[in-house]
Structure formats: structure tokens, C-alpha cells
């Protein structure tokens, strides 16, 4: 019997006592579930080191191995998801005249995208009970690319809207699934640089899509004297995505228990390690829709989801309207506007990765500080961009606002997702929390559509709503800080510990991060 099978057999033998409320759980590999959860952080680290020594596991090399096999594939999927969502470029590629539609009709096609996307994201993680992660993400990427490719050939508005609906439906299986699987490979203190690295590929997607648009305008439209550059843009991106779906199928890993790149000993060690640091996942525990909806009202889950609306408003509004904004500010041709749009994306990518890496290295525990710093950058950038019609502010400073806004928003977003999701423990709570946050962030995109629709040249309403959205995020994050600080203090009381450990084994698994020994990170 292999090492992993022996571990699973031991788990199955002990599952009945676990579910009946017995506190003894898998003692051969873990010790008592209560004993482990009562350990201090230092004791947990020593316990993990003990397991590593016993199994001859080099933890540094294992972490590098996981990084190599996990981060790049998920980064590719995230990159492709955002590459196929660069709707803003279509506005400057003659789509209005080509389909004979108004700006309102074009924006309503966004609604057709976001409605299935929002609903699908919330339930996407439940599909992982029936299909493996690499299969689910492969299908999502493949069908998303095929839909975009087909959109390039539509002849009327009705078909265009139908394609956008399918696009949103197929893409709904990406973001929540990515971050949920990622949380099964890394502890809280390892997650932030990896989350940011994956999320920052949305900036590279902006660069790549803008570059394709630049090639289309300068090499195809101008040379052949065509007026439908948006079709070539969608066809090229769709074909590229379909090709990349093959790579996704063969590289995206499944859960650690079934990851082909890990040996049995490495899989067991990783599961042990995360059980000690984050609590037992309870993936095998069945749940109902009633259980899911009950958790939505938990402040630790709901408040970060509400905070994500404001941050996502900025990131999605920037993606949608930055090409038009640059076209107005610089006053150049469409192809040169695409060229100018590339540089803020590159800067945001570099800042997000370097900033989170060094901040995580210097201050692993307190994540709120770096979040607020990037929010300030976003506000300053927004103010500079809002002054687009001001005669006193030079154009280069208005253009500079794009850099600050992109740097701040596209760094604050992954911090918030990583911070809140890694604070959650247990399969059900983590699954619901991540899915709800991604769904709520898409609501920010819907709000941005209507806030900027039919606005004056200064986008006054859109910017004012954006500033209000940022304030909402700040208020929610401050409230979240107060809630988790209070929860940490409450967990240390003897009354809370007695009440928690009096619960049955299955109840403790479902409650996850409610365990008194698991502190929420600030």
C-alpha cells in the first residue's frame, strides 16, 4: 500500500469517531484535532518541521516545486480570462458603426455578460465535486475562446448580445476556482505573493490585448483600408485562447491529494501542514444549499465581499474606459492611443509583484497597511485623471494618473482577496467566501457601466461614483478589521473554547476558522 493510500485508509478508519464527536482524529498522522488546534504558532511550526524531518521533506524545495507547478498554470488561466474581457478596446475599434448600435446598446451587452458571470461564480466551486479542476478550467477557457472567436463573425446586435451571455457563463468557472484551489496549496503566510502574481497577469492581459489592437490598427486596418478592427481583435484573441486551452488542460493541477507532480509523501506532508496551520478542510463533508446561504450572513464572509465591490469598480472601470480616456487626453490616433495605454499596465504589473513580495517579507502579519497605501495611490490617480478637462494641469500629469490608479487598484484587489480568503478555514466556508467575493466584485463592474454611460467628457458621474465606491471599500475594511480583532479576543476566552470543543467533530470541521486556536490575520 502506498504512503498516500495508507494515509487515506487511516483517515477513513477514524472518520466515524470524528463525526460522532470524538476529539481523537487521525492520531497516527496528526494527533488529536483539539491538541493541534490549541498549539501556539511556534508549536505549529515545530510540529510541521517534525513531520518534514520524519518524511525527509525539504520544505524550501517543496515550496519551489509547488510554485513551479501551480502558479504559472493558474496565471495563464487568469491571464486568458482578462484577455477575453478587454471590452474597452472595442469602443475605439468602430464597433458602433459596424453593428449600427448606440452606446447604451453596447453597454447593455456588458450586462448580458455580467449576469451569468455573477451567478455562475457563486456556484462554480460546487462543480468541483463533479469535475476535476483541470477539466473545469479547460472547458471554461476553451468555450470562452470559441465564443469570442464566433463573436468576431456576428452580423447583428442580437447575436452579439447572445455571444456575450455565453461568454459570461463560460468564464464564470475561472476566478473563484483559481483562488479556491490555490488556497489548498499555501498557508496564510505564503499566499499573498502568489495571489498577487496571478492577479497581476490581468495587467499583462491589458498589455497583450492593447498590443494586438495596435497591430490590428497599424498593420491591418490602415494598410487594407478596413473599418472593422474589432472583428480582427476578437478573432485573434479567440483563436489564441483556444490554442492555450490545450496547455491549460495538461498543466493545471488538481487538489493536492490528486496532484500528479507531488509524490505520495509530499502530498501527505502538504495536507498535514495545511491542517495544522489552517485547520482541517473538511472537503469530504457534504453540505446543502441551506448551509451555503447561512454562511453568507457571517460578517467575516460578507464584509470583505462588500468591500470588493468598491475596488472592483475601479479595476473594471479602468479596463473598460482607459483606452477612451487616453484617446481624449493625448489627442492622437487610435493606434497611438493603444500604444500609450500599454505603459500603465506594465507599471501596475511590476508594482503589484514587487510591492507584495517585499511587503510580505517585511510584514507578514499586517496586510491592512499595504492595502490602505494602495487605496491612497488609487485615489490620487483618480483625482489626476478627473482633471482631464482642467487647463491648469498638464496632459502628462493627467496621463500619470493612469499609472497611479492602475498601480493602486490592481494591487489592492489581490491583497483583499488573499487576506479575506486565507482567513477562512474549512472547505465550505472558504468556498462560499471566495465565490461570494468574486461575485460581488463583478457587481462593481455593472455599476461602472451605468456610472460612465452617456456621461460628459469629464466623466463626472463616473468619477464621483468611483470615489464613493472607494470610500465604501475603506469603511468595509475598517469594519472587517474591528470584527476580526474582536473575534480573536473572543476566541481566547475560556467560555468560547469550552463551547467550541463541546461541538461534534463534523461541526468543528464546518466551522473551520471559528476554531479558537486559528487567529485571523490583520
Amino acid at each position: 500500500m502506498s504512503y498516500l493510500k495508507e494515509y487515506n485508509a487511516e483517515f477513513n478508519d477514524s472518520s466515524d469517531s470524528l463525526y460522532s464527536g470524538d476529539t481523537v482524529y487521525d492520531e497516527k498522522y496528526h494527533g488529536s484535532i483539539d491538541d493541534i488546534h490549541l498549539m501556539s504558532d511556534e508549536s505549529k511550526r515545530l510540529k510541521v518541521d517534525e513531520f518534514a524531518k520524519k518524511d525527509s521533506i525539504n520544505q524550501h524545495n517543496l515550496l519551489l516545486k509547488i510554485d513551479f507547478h501551480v502558479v504559472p498554470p493558474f496565471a495563464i488561466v487568469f491571464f486568458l480570462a482578462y484577455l477575453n474581457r478587454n471590452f474597452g478596446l472595442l469602443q475605439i475599434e468602430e464597433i458602433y458603426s459596424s453593428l449600427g448600435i448606440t452606446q447604451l446598446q453596447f453597454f447593455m451587452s456588458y450586462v448580458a455578460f455580467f449576469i451569468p458571470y455573477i451567478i455562475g461564480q457563486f456556484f462554480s466551486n460546487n462543480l468541483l465535486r463533479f469535475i476535476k479542476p483541470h477539466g473545469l478550467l479547460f472547458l471554461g477557457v476553451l468555450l470562452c475562446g470559441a465564443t469570442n472567436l464566433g463573436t468576431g463573425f456576428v452580423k447583428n446586435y442580437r447575436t452579439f448580445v447572445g455571444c456575450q451571455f455565453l461568454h459570461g457563463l463560460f468564464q464564470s468557472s475561472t476566478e473563484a476556482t483559481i483562488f479556491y484551489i490555490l488556497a489548498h496549496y499555501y498557508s496564510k503566510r505564503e499566499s499573498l505573493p502568489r495571489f498577487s502574481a496571478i492577479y497581476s497577469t490581468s495587467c499583462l492581459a491589458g498589455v497583450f490585448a492593447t498590443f494586438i489592437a495596435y497591430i490590428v490598427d497599424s498593420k491591418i486596418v490602415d494598410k487594407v483600408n478596413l473599418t472593422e478592427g474589432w472583428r480582427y481583435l476578437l478573432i485573434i484573441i479567440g483563436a489564441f485562447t483556444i490554442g492555450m486551452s490545450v496547455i491549460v488542460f495538461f498543466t493545471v493541477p488538481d487538489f493536492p491529494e490528486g496532484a500528479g507532480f507531488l509524490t505520495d509523501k509530499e502530498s501527505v506532508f502538504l495536507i498535514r501542514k495545511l491542517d495544522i496551520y489552517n485547520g482541517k478542510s473538511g472537503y469530504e463533508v457534504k453540505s446543502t444549499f441551506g448551509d451555503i446561504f447561512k454562511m453568507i450572513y457571517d460578517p467575516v464572509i460578507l464584509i470583505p465581499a462588500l468591500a470588493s465591490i468598491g475596488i472592483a469598480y475601479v479595476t473594471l472601470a479602468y479596463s473598460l474606459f482607459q483606452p477612451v480616456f487616453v484617446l481624449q487626453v493625448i489627442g492622437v490616433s487610435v493606434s497611438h492611443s493603444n500604444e500609450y495605454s500599454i505603459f500603465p499596465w506594465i507599471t501596475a504589473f511590476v508594482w503589484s509583484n514587487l510591492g507584495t513580495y517585499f511587503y510580505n517579507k517585511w510584514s507578514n502579519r499586517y496586510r491592512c497597511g499595504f492595502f490602505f497605501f494602495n487605496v491612497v495611490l488609487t485615489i490620487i490617480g483618480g483625482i489626476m485623471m478627473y482633471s482631464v478637462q482642467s487647463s491648469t494641469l498638464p496632459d502628462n500629469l493627467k496621463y500619470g494618473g493612469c499609472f497611479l490608479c492602475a498601480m493602486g487598484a490592481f494591487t489592492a484587489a489581490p491583497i483583499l482577496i488573499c487576506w479575506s480568503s486565507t482567513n477562512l478555514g474549512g472547505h465550505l466556508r472558504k468556498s462560499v467566501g471566495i465565490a461570494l467575493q468574486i461575485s460581488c466584485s463583478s457587481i462593481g463592474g455593472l455599476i461602472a457601466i451605468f456610472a460612465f454611460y452617456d456621461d460628459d467628457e469629464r466623466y463626472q458621474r463616473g468619477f464621483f461614483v468611483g470615489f464613493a465606491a472607494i470610500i465604501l471599500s475603506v469603511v468595509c475594511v475598517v469594519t472587517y478589521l474591528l470584527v476580526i480583532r474582536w473575534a480573536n479576543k473572543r476566541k481566547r476566552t475560556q467560555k468560547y473554547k469550552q463551547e467550541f470543543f463541546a461541538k461534534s467533530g463534523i461541526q468543528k470541521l464546518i466551522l473551520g476558522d471559528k476554531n479558537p486556536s486559528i487567529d485571523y490575520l490583520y
Side-chain angles (χ1 to χ4, degrees), residues 29-147:
Y29 293 97
H30 292 275
S32 166
I33 189 172
D34 292 351
D35 291 343
I36 286 179
H37 283 159
L38 289 172
M39 291 179 180
S40 64
D41 288 346
E42 179 62 18
S43 297
K44 290 178 181 179
R45 186 187 66 80
L46 292 175
K47 190 69 174 178
V48 170
D49 290 344
E50 177 186 333
F51 282 138
K53 183 177 180 180
K54 177 182 176 182
D55 296 338
S56 302
I57 299 291
N58 186 310
Q59 295 188 63
H60 177 72
N61 290 344
L62 177 59
L63 186 60
L64 291 178
K65 183 178 183 180
I66 294 172
D67 285 342
F68 179 78
H69 286 90
V70 172
V71 175
F74 284 142
I76 290 173
V77 176
F78 204 85
F79 169 85
L80 293 172
Y82 269 79
L83 177 65
N84 284 269
R85 279 165 53 181
N86 275 277
F87 304 125
L89 292 170
L90 301 182
Q91 294 188 79
I92 60 175
E93 297 292 345
E94 303 296 336
I95 191 171
Y96 293 152
S97 59
S98 178
L99 292 180
I101 59 177
T102 64
Q103 186 188 46
L104 176 60
Q105 288 177 305
F106 181 64
F107 282 0
M108 289 304 294
S109 69
Y110 291 160
V111 179
F113 170 88
F114 277 115
I115 289 178
Y117 183 77
I118 292 171
I119 298 173
Q121 285 282 6
F122 186 74
F123 295 103
S124 62
N125 286 339
N126 289 286
L127 294 176
L128 295 175
R129 291 186 176 274
F130 310 102
I131 183 171
K132 291 184 177 181
H134 77 275
L136 180 62
L137 292 176
F138 162 72
L139 287 175
V141 171
L142 175 66
L143 294 174
C144 182
T147 303

Side-chain angles (χ1 to χ4, degrees), residues 165-185:
F165 179 87
L166 292 176
H167 185 189
L169 180 64
F170 297 144
Q171 201 172 118
S172 65
S173 63
T174 53
E175 285 187 62
T177 302
I178 288 172
F179 291 124
Y180 176 61
I181 301 298
L182 196 67
H184 284 75
Y185 280 93

Side-chain angles (χ1 to χ4, degrees), residues 235-366:
I235 291 171
I236 292 172
I237 290 177
F240 176 77
T241 303
I242 291 173
M244 291 297 293
S245 67
V246 179
I247 297 177
V248 169
F249 181 80
F250 288 106
T251 59
V252 166
D254 296 323
F255 290 101
E257 293 87 343
F261 69 91
L262 294 175
T263 65
D264 285 354
K265 282 191 175 184
E266 290 171 338
S267 295
V268 171
F269 171 76
L270 182 60
I271 296 168
R272 290 175 179 172
K273 170 186 169 182
L274 296 182
D275 284 355
I276 292 173
Y277 282 134
N278 301 344
K280 187 74 178 73
S281 71
Y283 180 77
E284 66 285 344
V285 178
K286 294 183 179 180
S287 57
T288 64
F289 284 114
D291 296 328
I292 293 173
F293 285 109
K294 283 180 184 177
M295 290 188 178
I296 293 176
Y297 301 104
D298 188 327
V300 179
I301 291 177
L302 180 60
I303 295 176
L306 296 177
S308 68
I309 295 176
I311 294 297
Y313 175 96
V314 180
T315 58
L316 292 170
Y318 184 88
S319 300
L320 293 174
F321 299 101
Q322 188 248 22
V324 179
F325 175 83
V326 172
L327 187 66
Q328 288 184 350
V329 172
I330 308 300
V332 294
S333 65
V334 172
S335 60
H336 283 87
S337 173
N338 288 327
E339 186 179 352
Y340 278 106
S341 297
I342 289 177
F343 301 110
W345 287 119
I346 296 175
T347 306
F349 172 78
V350 174
W351 168 254
S352 179
N353 283 283
L354 289 181
T356 52
Y357 172 79
F358 285 110
Y359 188 81
N360 192 70
K361 199 175 185 66
W362 294 331
S363 181
N364 207 325
R365 182 174 177 83
Y366 300 102

